[in-house]
Amino acid sequence: MRRKHWLVSVLLIASMLLAACGSKGGSQTQTPDAGTGSQTQTPSTSQPQQTGSEKKTVTILGAVVGTEETMFNEVIADFEAANPDIDVVYTGANDFATLIEVKAQGGDPPDIAMFPQPGGAQRMAELGYLVPLWPEILANVDQNYEPMWKELGTFGGTPYGIFHRVNAKGWIWYNKPAFEAAGYEVPKTWDELMALVEKMRGTGIAPFCDGIAAGDATGWKGTDWIESIMLRTTSTENYDRWVAGELKFNSPEVKRAFELLGDIWMTPGNVYGGQDSIALTDVAEAAKGLFTNPAQCWLHFQGSFVTSFFQEDVQANLDENVGVFIMPPIDPAVEPGLAVGGDIFVVFKGHDRPEVKKFMEWLTTVDATKKWAAMGSSLFPHKGQDLNVYKTELERTMAETIINAKAGRFDGSDAMPAELNRAFWVGITNWVSGASDLDTALQEIDAALQ
Amino acid sequence: MRRAPEPHSRSSLLARLDTPLWRGVLIAAALAVSGAFLLETFYFLRDATLPQWLLALLAIAWGVGGVMLLFTLASYLVEQFPATWKRRLIPILFVGPAVAVVVGYLALPTLRTLIASFYDANGQQFVGLANYVYAFSSREMLISFRNNFFFWLTFGTSFSLILGLIVAVMADRTHPVFEKIVKAIIFMPMAISMVGASVIWKFVYEFRPAGAPQIGLLNALVTAMGGDPTPWLLRQPWNNLFLVFIFVWLQTGFAMVVFSAAIKNVPADILEAGRIDGANEVQVFFHITLPTIKGTVLTVGTTIVLGTLKIFDVVQSMTGGNYGTQVIANVQYTQMFRQFNFGRASAVAIVLLLVVLPIMLYNLRDFSKRTEAF
């Protein structure tokens, strides 16, 4: 009897389950085409999650975090105020490079990504994850930027990326009151710079502060030095070949750049704390030496973003405290190029909805630069900017240099093949930490591409 | 006359169905249906727009209930088989899910890694053994092999074991209260993560140029005694030993606690017999205590050896693998998550697996000899 009872109940459960399945099966078939559907459809079908609210959402993933993230969110707020129906959500991630790979490969990318290095964006473009720039935004780019910026966002002949906030490298910073009190003058040539360095060595304060330590990215600061020197000692064609991995590191051109840097780094008394200190000191920490009491050094080489590394009281009054000049030309025959960088904004395939395009187009306009420029420590390449928006003379000088730059090259190491970039970091670290002599270090960097 | 056949025929229908075969078929059908049902509810829950907490509760109910349902039905199903088959099938029913999990989460990824190690950075082009050429000939990897095998394995393991053993033996001979305090202090670093320990030791090894205030403990001591500050993490190859020391600091406590327990289990009468026979304390230790706890020493030793071969956290957070302190696991991490070179990362992972495997097997074999667990 018990057994029969049990059998009946099993049958009963089974039939109930069958019934439950039957009714579910139908509703399931609609969803799959959402992911593969063409992008030209109306927004309501391509973005199912917006049901219930009228606001359209644009998602952005980038590597900008901390105070810069707060500033970028204010820029976004400017856009949202003009477009109340669009909600732009920015997410900043320290591990952006890892995260964007995972998300893109997992089929879950944001609408827009801000690549801090061109290599990542180029990789995404080559893998076919990105949408090429559309005619409206191309018109904006042609009108508001020097052609070099469009070239810099072009991968494999197709323009994919646009620039908003940018930076330039190759600046040499100094403590303005101390520099002027000592009666020094901004050097116009490399020889003048070397003469100035020698004079400074005699003061008992080191000419330079420097540090290249940055966790497993240790060495990048050194690559910046080499790039700026290369842009002043050899042709841009050679620079491009070098970045592409065609001009070897142990070629005379590249070796010469290392030797010129060696003159600065390895001459005893030239750098605060000496060679050991360069390898071990944190990139951001080194910049502070200009303004310590007593001062550790006279000069510091760094990109335009260095001001955020300075002490807070220095930042409070940059114009009075800080002076800057661009690395002087080295070879008279070589027209110096500007080493630039900046987040490249790209749109992922299937995400080029009208609101996403609208935000991208807005970023290419002068209007999108005002808020951030006024907040400080940010420069923009947009033509027709009102330079008075910038808070400091310092920024005005740099912005002007950037807007007017006719020739520019990306941070070379960032644009190199990934293996070569890393080998460059490691090689320059080995060289300065004394683990390899110059020839060995250069050969080891070259070995990365074999 | 009229009423009698009806109950008879109904019960006979059920009776005819109530054979092991039919019951088996029905239960198998129920099993298939519940599987399909669970799959459908999975999709339903995945796409449902419910409050997070409700979804979480439903998901737990789905998971736990689903496993119970499937397992109950499966065990009913097995019950219907003849006794010989039942005996064969029941172990599979119990071990099967565990095996499936191991295969799914361990064996398949390993196989997948092996395949990826023969492909290029993006996993698209077959490149043969190129990644293994890198893994065995690049300077980075050669330095890693040297560091892992020479500095980490040799010094890391022997220092941890010897220090642990010394402390365990010495503490055993002191006053119980003192013993507890000493063991607690030495065991304490075990509670700190490798990264946490690295933060602490970064302040010990910190270097500031001569003349500047030294915030690093070691350099503060050195300069207080009139010496020049030393960049400890830069001086090759000694910097590897400075990193190994952090690991020893963490592992000695582990070795000490296990050894201490083993030493207390050495039979007192044997020790006493030895002493009566005239052995001094050193002889007692080397001829009685050590042989008795040999198995424990081997187990702890192989565990620490595995730790040294897989060492990653300390190197990553102290030097990032720079200044000649690179190790295999850090190369794997860098290639995977900084370079996105899936091929090289996979090849290095396989190399690391091959390095670790013999020690793991030895550990298991040694363990099974003593406990017959394997």
Side-chain angles (χ1 to χ4, degrees), chain A residues 205-237:
Chain A
I205 298 172
F208 279 99
C209 283
D210 217 346
I212 63 166
D216 53 17
T218 295
W220 69 259
K221 170 74 188 293
T223 68
D224 279 8
W225 269 107
I226 298 296
E227 286 146 15
S228 281
I229 296 174
M230 286 283 286
L231 283 171
R232 286 160 180 78
T233 54
T234 188
S235 63
T236 42
E237 288 77 29

PDB file of all heavy atoms in Angstrom, chain A residues 205-237:
ATOM      1  N   ILE A 205      73.224  71.295  -4.083  1.00  0.00           N
ATOM      2  CA  ILE A 205      71.890  70.729  -4.288  1.00  0.00           C
ATOM      3  C   ILE A 205      71.916  70.041  -5.646  1.00  0.00           C
ATOM      4  O   ILE A 205      72.421  70.618  -6.623  1.00  0.00           O
ATOM      5  CB  ILE A 205      70.805  71.822  -4.261  1.00  0.00           C
ATOM      6  CG1 ILE A 205      70.786  72.496  -2.882  1.00  0.00           C
ATOM      7  CG2 ILE A 205      69.442  71.242  -4.573  1.00  0.00           C
ATOM      8  CD1 ILE A 205      69.886  73.712  -2.831  1.00  0.00           C
ATOM      9  N   ALA A 206      71.387  68.822  -5.714  1.00  0.00           N
ATOM     10  CA  ALA A 206      71.466  68.066  -6.961  1.00  0.00           C
ATOM     11  C   ALA A 206      70.685  68.773  -8.066  1.00  0.00           C
ATOM     12  O   ALA A 206      69.632  69.359  -7.795  1.00  0.00           O
ATOM     13  CB  ALA A 206      70.906  66.662  -6.757  1.00  0.00           C
ATOM     14  N   PRO A 207      71.183  68.741  -9.312  1.00  0.00           N
ATOM     15  CA  PRO A 207      70.417  69.337 -10.412  1.00  0.00           C
ATOM     16  C   PRO A 207      69.050  68.679 -10.595  1.00  0.00           C
ATOM     17  O   PRO A 207      68.059  69.355 -10.782  1.00  0.00           O
ATOM     18  CB  PRO A 207      71.302  69.097 -11.632  1.00  0.00           C
ATOM     19  CG  PRO A 207      72.679  68.917 -11.091  1.00  0.00           C
ATOM     20  CD  PRO A 207      72.516  68.291  -9.742  1.00  0.00           C
ATOM     21  N   PHE A 208      69.007  67.330 -10.533  1.00  0.00           N
ATOM     22  CA  PHE A 208      67.753  66.623 -10.817  1.00  0.00           C
ATOM     23  C   PHE A 208      67.279  65.783  -9.646  1.00  0.00           C
ATOM     24  O   PHE A 208      68.079  65.247  -8.890  1.00  0.00           O
ATOM     25  CB  PHE A 208      67.937  65.674 -12.009  1.00  0.00           C
ATOM     26  CG  PHE A 208      67.840  66.354 -13.337  1.00  0.00           C
ATOM     27  CD1 PHE A 208      68.992  66.710 -14.031  1.00  0.00           C
ATOM     28  CD2 PHE A 208      66.611  66.624 -13.910  1.00  0.00           C
ATOM     29  CE1 PHE A 208      68.912  67.344 -15.264  1.00  0.00           C
ATOM     30  CE2 PHE A 208      66.526  67.255 -15.140  1.00  0.00           C
ATOM     31  CZ  PHE A 208      67.670  67.615 -15.820  1.00  0.00           C
ATOM     32  N   CYS A 209      65.927  65.672  -9.527  1.00  0.00           N
ATOM     33  CA  CYS A 209      65.303  64.615  -8.743  1.00  0.00           C
ATOM     34  C   CYS A 209      64.721  63.644  -9.745  1.00  0.00           C
ATOM     35  O   CYS A 209      64.143  64.078 -10.748  1.00  0.00           O
ATOM     36  CB  CYS A 209      64.139  65.152  -7.904  1.00  0.00           C
ATOM     37  SG  CYS A 209      64.642  66.033  -6.454  1.00  0.00           S
ATOM     38  N   ASP A 210      64.856  62.347  -9.500  1.00  0.00           N
ATOM     39  CA  ASP A 210      64.194  61.409 -10.404  1.00  0.00           C
ATOM     40  C   ASP A 210      63.898  60.091  -9.705  1.00  0.00           C
ATOM     41  O   ASP A 210      64.589  59.710  -8.763  1.00  0.00           O
ATOM     42  CB  ASP A 210      65.033  61.160 -11.652  1.00  0.00           C
ATOM     43  CG  ASP A 210      64.152  61.002 -12.888  1.00  0.00           C
ATOM     44  OD1 ASP A 210      62.931  60.822 -12.713  1.00  0.00           O
ATOM     45  OD2 ASP A 210      64.678  61.071 -14.001  1.00  0.00           O
ATOM     46  N   GLY A 211      62.858  59.422 -10.184  1.00  0.00           N
ATOM     47  CA  GLY A 211      62.470  58.119  -9.654  1.00  0.00           C
ATOM     48  C   GLY A 211      61.630  57.408 -10.690  1.00  0.00           C
ATOM     49  O   GLY A 211      60.799  58.033 -11.352  1.00  0.00           O
ATOM     50  N   ILE A 212      61.871  56.107 -10.876  1.00  0.00           N
ATOM     51  CA  ILE A 212      61.128  55.372 -11.912  1.00  0.00           C
ATOM     52  C   ILE A 212      60.371  54.185 -11.336  1.00  0.00           C
ATOM     53  O   ILE A 212      59.841  53.367 -12.082  1.00  0.00           O
ATOM     54  CB  ILE A 212      62.067  54.884 -13.031  1.00  0.00           C
ATOM     55  CG1 ILE A 212      63.098  53.898 -12.475  1.00  0.00           C
ATOM     56  CG2 ILE A 212      62.754  56.044 -13.720  1.00  0.00           C
ATOM     57  CD1 ILE A 212      63.816  53.125 -13.570  1.00  0.00           C
ATOM     58  N   ALA A 213      60.308  54.057  -9.992  1.00  0.00           N
ATOM     59  CA  ALA A 213      59.634  52.900  -9.405  1.00  0.00           C
ATOM     60  C   ALA A 213      58.122  53.072  -9.491  1.00  0.00           C
ATOM     61  O   ALA A 213      57.592  54.129  -9.190  1.00  0.00           O
ATOM     62  CB  ALA A 213      60.058  52.718  -7.948  1.00  0.00           C
ATOM     63  N   ALA A 214      57.444  52.014  -9.947  1.00  0.00           N
ATOM     64  CA  ALA A 214      55.984  52.035 -10.042  1.00  0.00           C
ATOM     65  C   ALA A 214      55.470  50.604 -10.063  1.00  0.00           C
ATOM     66  O   ALA A 214      54.811  50.176 -11.007  1.00  0.00           O
ATOM     67  CB  ALA A 214      55.532  52.796 -11.281  1.00  0.00           C
ATOM     68  N   GLY A 215      55.767  49.829  -9.014  1.00  0.00           N
ATOM     69  CA  GLY A 215      55.293  48.447  -8.943  1.00  0.00           C
ATOM     70  C   GLY A 215      55.746  47.642 -10.144  1.00  0.00           C
ATOM     71  O   GLY A 215      56.913  47.742 -10.538  1.00  0.00           O
ATOM     72  N   ASP A 216      54.824  46.900 -10.759  1.00  0.00           N
ATOM     73  CA  ASP A 216      55.263  46.097 -11.893  1.00  0.00           C
ATOM     74  C   ASP A 216      55.256  46.909 -13.194  1.00  0.00           C
ATOM     75  O   ASP A 216      55.479  46.365 -14.269  1.00  0.00           O
ATOM     76  CB  ASP A 216      54.472  44.775 -12.031  1.00  0.00           C
ATOM     77  CG  ASP A 216      52.978  45.011 -12.050  1.00  0.00           C
ATOM     78  OD1 ASP A 216      52.575  46.169 -12.274  1.00  0.00           O
ATOM     79  OD2 ASP A 216      52.227  44.043 -11.859  1.00  0.00           O
ATOM     80  N   ALA A 217      55.018  48.227 -13.075  1.00  0.00           N
ATOM     81  CA  ALA A 217      55.200  49.100 -14.240  1.00  0.00           C
ATOM     82  C   ALA A 217      56.479  49.919 -14.081  1.00  0.00           C
ATOM     83  O   ALA A 217      56.668  50.913 -14.785  1.00  0.00           O
ATOM     84  CB  ALA A 217      54.004  50.020 -14.415  1.00  0.00           C
ATOM     85  N   THR A 218      57.341  49.509 -13.165  1.00  0.00           N
ATOM     86  CA  THR A 218      58.587  50.239 -12.927  1.00  0.00           C
ATOM     87  C   THR A 218      59.367  50.403 -14.223  1.00  0.00           C
ATOM     88  O   THR A 218      59.548  49.433 -14.963  1.00  0.00           O
ATOM     89  CB  THR A 218      59.432  49.483 -11.880  1.00  0.00           C
ATOM     90  OG1 THR A 218      58.731  49.503 -10.655  1.00  0.00           O
ATOM     91  CG2 THR A 218      60.802  50.138 -11.698  1.00  0.00           C
ATOM     92  N   GLY A 219      59.798  51.625 -14.474  1.00  0.00           N
ATOM     93  CA  GLY A 219      60.599  51.872 -15.681  1.00  0.00           C
ATOM     94  C   GLY A 219      59.943  52.819 -16.660  1.00  0.00           C
ATOM     95  O   GLY A 219      60.615  53.390 -17.498  1.00  0.00           O
ATOM     96  N   TRP A 220      58.626  53.006 -16.561  1.00  0.00           N
ATOM     97  CA  TRP A 220      57.957  53.806 -17.603  1.00  0.00           C
ATOM     98  C   TRP A 220      58.482  55.240 -17.642  1.00  0.00           C
ATOM     99  O   TRP A 220      58.570  55.853 -18.703  1.00  0.00           O
ATOM    100  CB  TRP A 220      56.428  53.766 -17.485  1.00  0.00           C
ATOM    101  CG  TRP A 220      55.813  54.459 -16.293  1.00  0.00           C
ATOM    102  CD1 TRP A 220      55.363  53.865 -15.163  1.00  0.00           C
ATOM    103  CD2 TRP A 220      55.557  55.869 -16.124  1.00  0.00           C
ATOM    104  NE1 TRP A 220      54.859  54.804 -14.295  1.00  0.00           N
ATOM    105  CE2 TRP A 220      54.958  56.038 -14.859  1.00  0.00           C
ATOM    106  CE3 TRP A 220      55.765  56.998 -16.915  1.00  0.00           C
ATOM    107  CZ2 TRP A 220      54.584  57.282 -14.355  1.00  0.00           C
ATOM    108  CZ3 TRP A 220      55.398  58.250 -16.411  1.00  0.00           C
ATOM    109  CH2 TRP A 220      54.811  58.375 -15.146  1.00  0.00           C
ATOM    110  N   LYS A 221      58.821  55.763 -16.466  1.00  0.00           N
ATOM    111  CA  LYS A 221      59.317  57.137 -16.420  1.00  0.00           C
ATOM    112  C   LYS A 221      60.606  57.257 -17.235  1.00  0.00           C
ATOM    113  O   LYS A 221      60.828  58.262 -17.919  1.00  0.00           O
ATOM    114  CB  LYS A 221      59.541  57.531 -14.963  1.00  0.00           C
ATOM    115  CG  LYS A 221      60.283  58.831 -14.739  1.00  0.00           C
ATOM    116  CD  LYS A 221      59.420  60.037 -15.038  1.00  0.00           C
ATOM    117  CE  LYS A 221      60.232  61.327 -14.997  1.00  0.00           C
ATOM    118  NZ  LYS A 221      60.721  61.670 -13.679  1.00  0.00           N
ATOM    119  N   GLY A 222      61.429  56.224 -17.177  1.00  0.00           N
ATOM    120  CA  GLY A 222      62.671  56.243 -17.949  1.00  0.00           C
ATOM    121  C   GLY A 222      62.402  56.215 -19.443  1.00  0.00           C
ATOM    122  O   GLY A 222      63.087  56.877 -20.230  1.00  0.00           O
ATOM    123  N   THR A 223      61.345  55.479 -19.837  1.00  0.00           N
ATOM    124  CA  THR A 223      61.032  55.425 -21.268  1.00  0.00           C
ATOM    125  C   THR A 223      60.577  56.793 -21.766  1.00  0.00           C
ATOM    126  O   THR A 223      60.837  57.151 -22.914  1.00  0.00           O
ATOM    127  CB  THR A 223      59.949  54.369 -21.565  1.00  0.00           C
ATOM    128  OG1 THR A 223      58.707  54.794 -21.001  1.00  0.00           O
ATOM    129  CG2 THR A 223      60.322  53.012 -21.006  1.00  0.00           C
ATOM    130  N   ASP A 224      59.936  57.566 -20.899  1.00  0.00           N
ATOM    131  CA  ASP A 224      59.535  58.927 -21.290  1.00  0.00           C
ATOM    132  C   ASP A 224      60.754  59.781 -21.629  1.00  0.00           C
ATOM    133  O   ASP A 224      60.736  60.553 -22.594  1.00  0.00           O
ATOM    134  CB  ASP A 224      58.754  59.600 -20.145  1.00  0.00           C
ATOM    135  CG  ASP A 224      57.306  59.162 -20.113  1.00  0.00           C
ATOM    136  OD1 ASP A 224      56.972  58.238 -20.884  1.00  0.00           O
ATOM    137  OD2 ASP A 224      56.521  59.724 -19.345  1.00  0.00           O
ATOM    138  N   TRP A 225      61.774  59.657 -20.816  1.00  0.00           N
ATOM    139  CA  TRP A 225      63.023  60.376 -21.078  1.00  0.00           C
ATOM    140  C   TRP A 225      63.542  60.040 -22.475  1.00  0.00           C
ATOM    141  O   TRP A 225      63.840  60.931 -23.271  1.00  0.00           O
ATOM    142  CB  TRP A 225      64.104  59.953 -20.076  1.00  0.00           C
ATOM    143  CG  TRP A 225      64.232  60.744 -18.819  1.00  0.00           C
ATOM    144  CD1 TRP A 225      63.854  60.342 -17.568  1.00  0.00           C
ATOM    145  CD2 TRP A 225      64.850  62.030 -18.646  1.00  0.00           C
ATOM    146  NE1 TRP A 225      64.182  61.309 -16.641  1.00  0.00           N
ATOM    147  CE2 TRP A 225      64.793  62.349 -17.278  1.00  0.00           C
ATOM    148  CE3 TRP A 225      65.432  62.948 -19.529  1.00  0.00           C
ATOM    149  CZ2 TRP A 225      65.307  63.540 -16.744  1.00  0.00           C
ATOM    150  CZ3 TRP A 225      65.943  64.130 -19.013  1.00  0.00           C
ATOM    151  CH2 TRP A 225      65.872  64.426 -17.634  1.00  0.00           C
ATOM    152  N   ILE A 226      63.656  58.737 -22.735  1.00  0.00           N
ATOM    153  CA  ILE A 226      64.245  58.288 -24.012  1.00  0.00           C
ATOM    154  C   ILE A 226      63.410  58.814 -25.177  1.00  0.00           C
ATOM    155  O   ILE A 226      63.935  59.282 -26.189  1.00  0.00           O
ATOM    156  CB  ILE A 226      64.315  56.741 -24.053  1.00  0.00           C
ATOM    157  CG1 ILE A 226      65.228  56.222 -22.934  1.00  0.00           C
ATOM    158  CG2 ILE A 226      64.798  56.265 -25.411  1.00  0.00           C
ATOM    159  CD1 ILE A 226      66.673  56.645 -23.064  1.00  0.00           C
ATOM    160  N   GLU A 227      62.067  58.746 -25.031  1.00  0.00           N
ATOM    161  CA  GLU A 227      61.199  59.193 -26.124  1.00  0.00           C
ATOM    162  C   GLU A 227      61.400  60.672 -26.431  1.00  0.00           C
ATOM    163  O   GLU A 227      61.530  61.068 -27.594  1.00  0.00           O
ATOM    164  CB  GLU A 227      59.732  58.930 -25.763  1.00  0.00           C
ATOM    165  CG  GLU A 227      59.388  57.459 -25.847  1.00  0.00           C
ATOM    166  CD  GLU A 227      58.366  57.062 -24.817  1.00  0.00           C
ATOM    167  OE1 GLU A 227      57.723  57.947 -24.230  1.00  0.00           O
ATOM    168  OE2 GLU A 227      58.212  55.842 -24.591  1.00  0.00           O
ATOM    169  N   SER A 228      61.420  61.498 -25.380  1.00  0.00           N
ATOM    170  CA  SER A 228      61.590  62.933 -25.627  1.00  0.00           C
ATOM    171  C   SER A 228      62.956  63.223 -26.244  1.00  0.00           C
ATOM    172  O   SER A 228      63.077  64.104 -27.096  1.00  0.00           O
ATOM    173  CB  SER A 228      61.427  63.715 -24.320  1.00  0.00           C
ATOM    174  OG  SER A 228      60.063  63.847 -24.028  1.00  0.00           O
ATOM    175  N   ILE A 229      63.972  62.484 -25.833  1.00  0.00           N
ATOM    176  CA  ILE A 229      65.297  62.685 -26.423  1.00  0.00           C
ATOM    177  C   ILE A 229      65.282  62.241 -27.888  1.00  0.00           C
ATOM    178  O   ILE A 229      65.781  62.934 -28.769  1.00  0.00           O
ATOM    179  CB  ILE A 229      66.371  61.927 -25.616  1.00  0.00           C
ATOM    180  CG1 ILE A 229      66.459  62.519 -24.202  1.00  0.00           C
ATOM    181  CG2 ILE A 229      67.719  61.998 -26.310  1.00  0.00           C
ATOM    182  CD1 ILE A 229      67.387  61.774 -23.264  1.00  0.00           C
ATOM    183  N   MET A 230      64.647  61.071 -28.146  1.00  0.00           N
ATOM    184  CA  MET A 230      64.557  60.560 -29.525  1.00  0.00           C
ATOM    185  C   MET A 230      63.872  61.567 -30.448  1.00  0.00           C
ATOM    186  O   MET A 230      64.275  61.747 -31.599  1.00  0.00           O
ATOM    187  CB  MET A 230      63.768  59.245 -29.559  1.00  0.00           C
ATOM    188  CG  MET A 230      64.498  58.052 -29.022  1.00  0.00           C
ATOM    189  SD  MET A 230      65.718  57.384 -30.172  1.00  0.00           S
ATOM    190  CE  MET A 230      64.684  56.586 -31.380  1.00  0.00           C
ATOM    191  N   LEU A 231      62.811  62.233 -29.936  1.00  0.00           N
ATOM    192  CA  LEU A 231      62.072  63.199 -30.762  1.00  0.00           C
ATOM    193  C   LEU A 231      62.909  64.444 -31.057  1.00  0.00           C
ATOM    194  O   LEU A 231      62.489  65.305 -31.824  1.00  0.00           O
ATOM    195  CB  LEU A 231      60.766  63.604 -30.063  1.00  0.00           C
ATOM    196  CG  LEU A 231      59.638  62.585 -30.139  1.00  0.00           C
ATOM    197  CD1 LEU A 231      58.487  62.970 -29.234  1.00  0.00           C
ATOM    198  CD2 LEU A 231      59.145  62.416 -31.565  1.00  0.00           C
ATOM    199  N   ARG A 232      64.076  64.542 -30.424  1.00  0.00           N
ATOM    200  CA  ARG A 232      64.959  65.687 -30.647  1.00  0.00           C
ATOM    201  C   ARG A 232      66.291  65.307 -31.269  1.00  0.00           C
ATOM    202  O   ARG A 232      67.105  66.174 -31.557  1.00  0.00           O
ATOM    203  CB  ARG A 232      65.209  66.408 -29.306  1.00  0.00           C
ATOM    204  CG  ARG A 232      64.007  67.198 -28.845  1.00  0.00           C
ATOM    205  CD  ARG A 232      64.069  67.493 -27.363  1.00  0.00           C
ATOM    206  NE  ARG A 232      62.906  68.265 -26.946  1.00  0.00           N
ATOM    207  CZ  ARG A 232      61.704  67.738 -26.747  1.00  0.00           C
ATOM    208  NH1 ARG A 232      61.506  66.442 -26.919  1.00  0.00           N
ATOM    209  NH2 ARG A 232      60.697  68.508 -26.384  1.00  0.00           N
ATOM    210  N   THR A 233      66.539  63.998 -31.426  1.00  0.00           N
ATOM    211  CA  THR A 233      67.836  63.596 -31.982  1.00  0.00           C
ATOM    212  C   THR A 233      67.711  62.856 -33.300  1.00  0.00           C
ATOM    213  O   THR A 233      68.720  62.624 -33.968  1.00  0.00           O
ATOM    214  CB  THR A 233      68.602  62.672 -31.016  1.00  0.00           C
ATOM    215  OG1 THR A 233      67.762  61.571 -30.681  1.00  0.00           O
ATOM    216  CG2 THR A 233      69.013  63.404 -29.759  1.00  0.00           C
ATOM    217  N   THR A 234      66.498  62.435 -33.660  1.00  0.00           N
ATOM    218  CA  THR A 234      66.370  61.670 -34.896  1.00  0.00           C
ATOM    219  C   THR A 234      65.042  62.003 -35.566  1.00  0.00           C
ATOM    220  O   THR A 234      64.163  62.616 -34.961  1.00  0.00           O
ATOM    221  CB  THR A 234      66.503  60.159 -34.621  1.00  0.00           C
ATOM    222  OG1 THR A 234      66.565  59.479 -35.862  1.00  0.00           O
ATOM    223  CG2 THR A 234      65.341  59.631 -33.818  1.00  0.00           C
ATOM    224  N   SER A 235      64.896  61.595 -36.821  1.00  0.00           N
ATOM    225  CA  SER A 235      63.696  61.945 -37.586  1.00  0.00           C
ATOM    226  C   SER A 235      62.468  61.232 -37.034  1.00  0.00           C
ATOM    227  O   SER A 235      62.571  60.200 -36.377  1.00  0.00           O
ATOM    228  CB  SER A 235      63.894  61.539 -39.046  1.00  0.00           C
ATOM    229  OG  SER A 235      64.050  60.138 -39.110  1.00  0.00           O
ATOM    230  N   THR A 236      61.285  61.815 -37.328  1.00  0.00           N
ATOM    231  CA  THR A 236      60.054  61.156 -36.888  1.00  0.00           C
ATOM    232  C   THR A 236      59.883  59.810 -37.584  1.00  0.00           C
ATOM    233  O   THR A 236      59.269  58.908 -37.035  1.00  0.00           O
ATOM    234  CB  THR A 236      58.831  62.045 -37.161  1.00  0.00           C
ATOM    235  OG1 THR A 236      58.967  62.632 -38.449  1.00  0.00           O
ATOM    236  CG2 THR A 236      58.711  63.126 -36.112  1.00  0.00           C
ATOM    237  N   GLU A 237      60.433  59.685 -38.805  1.00  0.00           N
ATOM    238  CA  GLU A 237      60.360  58.391 -39.486  1.00  0.00           C
ATOM    239  C   GLU A 237      61.094  57.335 -38.661  1.00  0.00           C
ATOM    240  O   GLU A 237      60.601  56.224 -38.460  1.00  0.00           O
ATOM    241  CB  GLU A 237      60.993  58.457 -40.895  1.00  0.00           C
ATOM    242  CG  GLU A 237      60.201  59.229 -41.930  1.00  0.00           C
ATOM    243  CD  GLU A 237      60.328  60.743 -41.759  1.00  0.00           C
ATOM    244  OE1 GLU A 237      61.386  61.203 -41.248  1.00  0.00           O
ATOM    245  OE2 GLU A 237      59.374  61.460 -42.099  1.00  0.00           O
TER     246      GLU A 237
END
